Amino acid sequence: MQTTLLTIRPEEAKRLETTYRVVRRSVDARQRDIKVNLTLLADDNGHFIPREAPVPLYEPPHFTDVTGKDVPHAYIVGAGPAGLFAALTLLEHGIKPIVFERGKPVSERKKDIAQLNRNIAFNPESNYCFGEGGAGTFSDGKLFSRSKKRGNMQRVMELFHHFGAPDTVLYEAHAHIGSDKLPRIIQNMRECILAHGGEIHFNLRFEDLRFLISLQSNDLLRCMGDLGVSDLGFSECPLILAIGHSAHDTYRMLDKAGVAMEAKGFAMGVRAEHPQELINRLFYHNASKTEIDLLGNASYSLVTQVNGHGVYSFCMCPGGHIVPAGSSNDGCVVNGMSASHRNSPFANSGMVVELHPGGHAMQALDYQEDYERLAKQHGGIGLQAPAQRMLDFVEGRHSASLPECSYLPGIVSSRMDEWLPEPIRTGLRQGFRDFDRKHKGFLTNEAVIVGVESRSSSPIRIVRDAETMQSLSHPWLYPCGEGAGYAGGITSSALDGINAALKIAERYGKQV
């Protein structure tokens, strides 16, 4: 087998990718004449392999049944991508995963999120941040990362495909599942873990398991009987800590227990939303409707430097929606998502500024929470978020009216140019000007900024050994994923979870 790279027009690419086996696909929209880079699988004679040919896409996973067996086991805190992929990897090596998740299963989580979107009720344990699948489950499902992490990123895509993701996740440069499809895939993963003898316990927070005392004594404590899980028979064994970047209460508990942590650079800003038609016009160079239908709605990735701080777009959602993404009632946090078809009339992206606060880890967390409370003070009723037209923000004017916005709880006009803290305010103002110079029309009052985007990454790193992935202070702890400060998004978190599980397999003498 061999591969052939073609750089062709969108209509020809569409014909070929529906006929032959695609290995890689990306869109090059840098010039007015938009091209698609398409890599096709071919036989030794150079003939393209048909799409339906009986050629295996990849080697499927083999999970060991650990039901009722005296096998090694490991605990996992968090059922996000890091935790779930760690559990699946443990099963591949004959190790029983026992997973604890503070939130609910995806089917129950959907109901709480529906209440959240209608600004009716907020459940601090079941929302866009917490619950089965983690923060990415109902906020887009993009399988793309800037991370250069070591490991088999393609295997992450293969596992997603194995559990129900479309073929495109195997070859799209910026693969995307969509918030309408990802919950079912997460449920399939859970059913696989349970079917092979693993365990998943919902509605149990880390501190509910009485781990605080056990952390201080550097040993795992037997669960208390009143929790209903006393039969687990806790003993000293590896524990994968995959808590996610919004578990602020868990961070503080770990700090009190003496777990080694440090402040790290992170980024905060706002969500910027444009009409999707305007973004298509700017980034597809006035492409025809036929071309747009073939390519899908345009996305972008923007970056600049302002006074030594990086300013960049993050988690861009073409044809998407802005959603409430906080984990407490006293702050206002927004994020973006899009369904698999990406067909809403709006395009939104996080617009964030890099920050390097230094100091103690909890000071970085305090800074983030203060920013979210400030946004809440300038918002409206319930989850209504503060907003300002983009050009008004840059030029320092009150927005007498606001454009239509995808954020369902609603937005209220606010002088964000006055209350956003430095260097975020200055960075965004200059950043929007820089982006407009490259893409004339980006800075416009047709666009609205909504506050605040504060959870693009964790402000804390749970310090671990680079080789063993074990906590420097508690060697049976394996911090991983976005919450530990070693990943940024679904795919890099999943890969970090895989790597942590492989280290545990090595610890148990399993062949890796």
Side-chain angles (χ1 to χ4, degrees):
M1 294 291 182
Q2 57 183 311
T3 58
T4 301
L5 172 62
L6 304 173
T7 301
I8 50 183
R9 294 189 62 81
E11 57 270 23
E12 179 64 8
K14 189 68 173 180
R15 183 186 70 80
L16 290 176
E17 67 181 288
T18 55
T19 306
Y20 299 109
R21 181 70 62 81
V22 179
V23 177
R24 188 74 170 169
R25 180 187 184 275
S26 64
V27 175
D28 186 350
R30 292 173 296 177
Q31 307 298 324
R32 290 189 176 276
D33 188 17
I34 300 173
K35 298 290 186 182
V36 175
N37 297 316
L38 200 66
T39 302
L40 300 176
L41 188 66
D43 62 23
D44 292 337
N45 295 317
H47 299 130
F48 297 145
I49 302 297
R51 182 181 176 89
E52 304 303 326
V55 178
L57 295 173
Y58 51 85
E59 183 179 347
H62 174 72
F63 301 110
T64 303
D65 189 345
V66 296
T67 305
K69 297 178 181 177
D70 184 16
V71 296
H73 57 279
Y75 302 109
I76 301 171
V77 176
L84 289 175
F85 276 74
L88 293 168
T89 304
L90 291 173
L91 282 176
E92 288 186 287
H93 291 83
I95 301 169
K96 179 175 180 174
I98 302 173
V99 184
F100 301 101
E101 167 56 47
R102 68 187 297 165
K104 299 180 182 181
V106 285
S107 56
E108 297 177 40
R109 193 177 169 197
K110 283 181 181 179
K111 300 172 185 176
D112 294 319
I113 285 176
Q115 295 279 86
L116 192 64
N117 285 332
R118 290 198 287 270
N119 204 9
I120 295 173
F122 173 79
N123 184 335
E125 301 298 338
S126 180
N127 44 62
Y128 277 99
C129 293
F130 299 141
E132 185 180 24
T137 304
F138 293 98
S139 56
D140 208 46
K142 279 188 286 295
L143 303 187
F144 167 68
S145 174
R146 293 185 176 94
S147 173
K148 304 299 181 184
K149 296 183 69 63
R150 291 182 301 166
N152 190 353
M153 191 68 81
Q154 185 61 24
R155 191 57 174 168
V156 173
M157 304 304 186
E158 292 169 357
L159 284 170
F160 271 116
H161 182 267
H162 177 78
F163 287 104
D167 290 353
T168 52
V169 304
L170 298 173
Y171 60 79
E172 285 279 4
H174 291 178
H176 171 252
I177 296 176
S179 296
D180 52 334
K181 301 286 182 68
L182 188 53
R184 180 60 200 176
I185 294 167
I186 296 299
Q187 184 175 327
N188 291 342
M189 291 180 180
R190 181 225 307 162
E191 291 171 355
C192 174
I193 292 167
L194 297 177
H196 287 85
E199 298 181 21
I200 301 180
H201 301 271
F202 293 103
N203 302 304
L204 284 174
R205 291 193 301 171
F206 196 23
E207 48 265 55
D208 288 340
L209 294 173
R210 310 298 196 266
F211 276 118
L212 180 57
I213 298 174
S214 64
L215 283 169
Q216 291 172 331
S217 63
N218 203 24
D219 191 10
L220 280 173
L221 188 70
R222 181 174 297 276
C223 286
M224 307 298 287
D226 61 353
L227 294 173
V229 289
S230 57
D231 59 326
L232 289 177
F234 271 78
S235 59
E236 186 174 352
C237 75
L239 186 151
I240 293 176
L241 197 59
I243 59 175
H245 64 32
S246 291
H248 289 192
D249 48 0
T250 305
Y251 284 133
R252 297 188 189 281
M253 183 268 282
L254 293 171
D255 180 58
K256 289 179 181 178
V259 174
M261 294 189 288
E262 63 185 10
K264 60 177 276 291
F266 61 109
M268 298 197 300
V270 298
R271 271 274 145 183
E273 184 170 82
H274 293 75
Q276 180 65 58
E277 183 276 330
L278 186 152
I279 295 301
N280 288 344
R281 189 167 69 247
L282 292 183
F283 291 88
Y284 280 163
H285 316 292
N286 294 308
S288 68
K289 184 180 183 304
T290 300
E291 288 179 304
I292 294 172
D293 289 342
L294 290 169
L295 295 166
N297 278 324
S299 63
Y300 58 78
S301 178
L302 303 172
V303 62
T304 189
Q305 284 281 326
V306 179
N307 298 332
H309 295 268
V311 181
Y312 58 92
S313 61
F314 173 84
C315 185
M316 196 273 153
C317 301
H321 299 83
I322 300 176
V323 298
S327 56
S328 70
N329 247 329
D330 61 354
C332 182
V333 182
V334 295
N335 197 356
M337 58 78 68
S338 53
S340 56
H341 294 296
R342 290 180 158 177
N343 56 0
S344 97
F346 304 102
N348 72 76
S349 176
M351 290 289 175
V352 295
V353 180
E354 286 182 336
L355 303 172
H356 303 280
H360 189 271
M362 293 304 103
Q363 289 178 301
L365 200 64
D366 291 341
Y367 187 95
Q368 188 182 58
E369 291 178 348
D370 288 345
Y371 185 53
E372 294 167 2
R373 281 190 287 267
L374 188 61
K376 179 78 170 181
Q377 294 168 14
H378 290 275
I381 299 171
L383 294 169
Q384 289 180 333
Q388 190 174 11
R389 290 182 185 265
M390 184 183 283
L391 187 59
D392 287 345
F393 170 78
V394 170
E395 297 185 349
R397 292 191 301 262
H398 168 69
S399 295
S401 65
L402 295 172
E404 187 178 358
C405 178
S406 66
Y407 183 71
L408 290 177
I411 55 177
V412 296
S413 183
S414 173
R415 287 294 301 271
M416 298 177 72
D417 62 292
E418 292 183 342
W419 60 261
L420 283 182
E422 293 287 353
I424 296 172
R425 177 171 64 238
T426 298
L428 290 176
R429 274 179 159 169
Q430 187 56 49
F432 292 149
R433 293 189 185 102
D434 291 351
F435 300 152
D436 189 67
R437 276 194 289 270
K438 298 174 185 175
H439 305 279
K440 194 63 180 175
F442 186 86
L443 177 54
T444 171
N445 262 352
E446 290 185 68
V448 62
I449 61 170
V450 182
V452 292
E453 173 84 37
S454 55
R455 304 288 178 91
S456 64
S457 59
S458 171
I460 290 173
R461 179 175 290 112
I462 303 173
V463 186
R464 70 189 187 193
D465 182 85
E467 180 59 31
T468 67
M469 295 184 68
Q470 294 171 278
S471 163
L472 293 186
S473 56
H474 295 72
W476 49 266
L477 266 186
Y478 288 76
C480 71
E482 201 161 347
Y486 294 96
I490 293 173
T491 49
S492 59
S493 294
L495 182 58
D496 211 44
I498 289 173
N499 289 339
L502 291 176
K503 293 297 182 183
I504 289 175
E506 290 178 3
R507 180 172 178 165
Y508 278 125
K510 303 288 186 177
Q511 185 175 358
V512 175

